[in-house]
Amino acid sequence: MLNSVVSRLEVIEPWSSPTVRVTDSALGGVPARVFQPVGGGAKLRRGVLYFHGGGWALGSGRMRSYDLLCRRMAEELDTVVVSVDYRLAPDAVFPDQYHDALAASRAFLSPEVLQRYGVNPARVGVSGDSSGGNLAAAVAQRISADDSMSVKFSIQALIYPVLQALDLNTPSYQQNHNVPILHRHLMARFWLIYLGADPSLLPHLLSSPSSLLHPSIPPSIRSHLNWTSLLAAKHQKHYRPVGMETGSREVTWIVPGLVDVRAAPLLAEQGILGRTPRAYVMTCEFDVLRDDGLMYARRLQDAGVTVTSVHYDDGFHGCMVFSFWPFLSSVGQRSLDNYIQWLDHNL
């Protein structure tokens, strides 16, 4: 229902300009909007596959905000940008969104599609924000480990990504639990909807202990999201791990998706992370997901990946889409400028 309202208000038809040709198409059977720079002759261009945010349940690559974002990327970077419209919850639940993202990725990286759009196979990136950042990280892991793929992503750019739900008591969740746009209760609800879990588990997921104190999480997994060692002191602040609340139910094994690396890329083994491409990870101070991104950046670095970790002390979740009229913000414009600049220098 909510996504229908959002779609009616925000989704726009494809329109081309003198500098960018915009068309609606499909990749691997998944709907997508393609942004192609005009002119340039027969030279090969860079390519970016983009996944929109919205808690795996809202949004569209055809929304005005994402249309403007991808249009600007295509124009300023002289890059072919493809914005993917993966299926949404509750009509589709995990792993459907992941499978759509993977199918679109495989199709975009195929020699025939790269040739069709004039994309240099050595300069293809994957990116996304929030839940789209989750999908981008997940497919980057899978594609990097697939030796049957002749072309792989050369960069991954993750914008305030959501990467795990085993610990909803990280310092950023504790600090920003009631901060818009994405408060703790809403993020937990998005997780349950995405994983096709019983909504009545919401209070139990919210009352689950920190991963370090969780009785059912094996040490091997705990180390992958141990924020007491992965986060700098300035981000840990005065916060401490939270214990199990009396009367709360164990949800980890009731909802197996919580420990599936396709849903929670932060849980991946170091050997998998080490095969992923050069990374850009953007985080915001006033965002429950801040520590997901910071921990992932640290784990990627520990695995030998070159990482640019950019943190905005005045940033909030979703700020990068607040870069266009009428929703302009200083941090939104700065974050978008820096994101495009990094892509220009690294892709």
Side-chain angles (χ1 to χ4, degrees):
M1 174 66 78
L2 180 57
N3 193 58
S4 297
V5 174
V6 171
S7 296
R8 283 199 299 271
L9 294 175
E10 276 284 306
V11 168
I12 61 176
E13 293 299 314
W15 59 275
S16 299
S17 70
T19 56
V20 179
R21 179 172 178 258
V22 183
T23 57
D24 284 341
S25 185
L27 282 176
V30 183
R33 178 160 290 183
V34 183
F35 301 80
Q36 293 176 270
V38 174
K43 73 171 184 177
L44 293 179
R45 289 187 164 94
R46 298 173 288 192
V48 174
L49 192 68
Y50 195 90
F51 299 108
H52 67 82
W56 307 281
L58 302 173
S60 167
R62 295 174 292 120
M63 288 173 58
R64 177 182 178 276
S65 53
Y66 287 110
D67 184 280
L68 291 173
L69 168 64
C70 294
R71 188 180 298 270
R72 179 172 168 184
M73 291 165 61
E75 186 172 57
E76 293 194 16
L77 296 170
D78 192 30
T79 298
V80 176
V81 181
V82 180
S83 184
V84 179
D85 258 343
Y86 52 89
R87 287 172 289 174
L88 299 174
D91 296 330
V93 298
F94 177 79
D96 289 347
Q97 289 87 336
Y98 169 81
H99 285 157
D100 283 356
L102 187 59
S105 297
R106 292 187 185 280
F108 191 48
L109 292 169
S110 67
E112 55 269 28
V113 172
L114 293 175
Q115 182 178 18
R116 181 194 313 160
Y117 292 121
V119 173
N120 185 337
R123 307 181 74 182
V124 188
V126 64
S127 185
D129 64 290
S130 193
S131 58
N134 168 285
L135 295 172
V139 298
Q141 290 181 8
R142 183 68 187 90
I143 295 293
S144 297
D146 187 349
D147 293 331
S148 70
M149 297 286 294
S150 60
V151 178
K152 300 186 179 184
F153 293 119
S154 58
I155 62 98
Q156 55 183 322
L158 314 177
I159 310 302
Y160 29 79
V162 51
L163 298 166
Q164 61 84 30
L166 283 180
D167 194 340
L168 301 187
N169 291 298
T170 62
S172 61
Y173 268 104
Q174 294 185 55
Q175 172 186 313
N176 300 303
H177 65 281
N178 281 327
V179 173
I181 295 174
L182 183 65
H183 52 78
R184 182 172 178 263
H185 183 280
L186 180 58
M187 190 64 247
R189 187 175 178 218
F190 276 140
W191 269 111
L192 291 176
I193 294 172
Y194 177 44
L195 297 177
D198 186 341
S200 68
L201 293 173
L202 180 62
H204 302 289
L205 182 60
L206 290 169
S207 64
S208 292
S210 296
S211 58
L212 287 176
L213 304 177
H214 205 300
S216 298
I217 299 177
S220 59
I221 293 181
R222 288 183 199 171
S223 65
H224 296 167
L225 62 162
N226 180 1
W227 53 263
T228 65
S229 64
L230 292 171
L231 293 180
K234 66 179 180 179
H235 295 301
Q236 292 188 37
K237 303 180 182 180
H238 63 279
Y239 296 103
R240 297 290 181 268
V242 175
M244 177 83 78
E245 291 187 16
T246 302
S248 62
R249 291 174 59 192
E250 169 59 70
V251 298
T252 307
W253 307 118
I254 299 175
V255 187
L258 291 171
V259 293
D260 191 319
V261 295
R262 298 173 301 171
L266 182 59
L267 304 184
E269 296 296 332
Q270 188 176 35
I272 295 295
L273 295 180
R275 298 185 66 176
T276 63
R278 178 190 304 264
Y280 177 90
V281 183
M282 172 185 154
T283 54
C284 294
E285 182 64 22
F286 303 106
D287 181 5
V288 293
L289 303 179
R290 178 195 72 203
D291 297 342
D292 282 22
L294 291 173
M295 288 191 287
Y296 198 60
R298 170 65 184 277
R299 290 204 63 221
L300 287 171
Q301 288 173 327
D302 289 348
V305 177
T306 300
V307 179
T308 299
S309 180
V310 179
H311 181 71
Y312 292 94
D313 288 331
D314 58 343
F316 54 91
H317 190 78
C319 66
M320 201 173 80
V321 297
F322 289 84
S323 304
F324 307 98
W325 185 90
F327 304 110
L328 293 173
S329 72
S330 171
V331 67
Q333 292 175 304
R334 280 183 281 118
S335 64
L336 179 55
D337 288 343
N338 290 336
Y339 167 66
I340 288 180
Q341 183 179 61
W342 185 88
L343 289 173
D344 195 25
H345 292 166
N346 291 273
L347 180 58

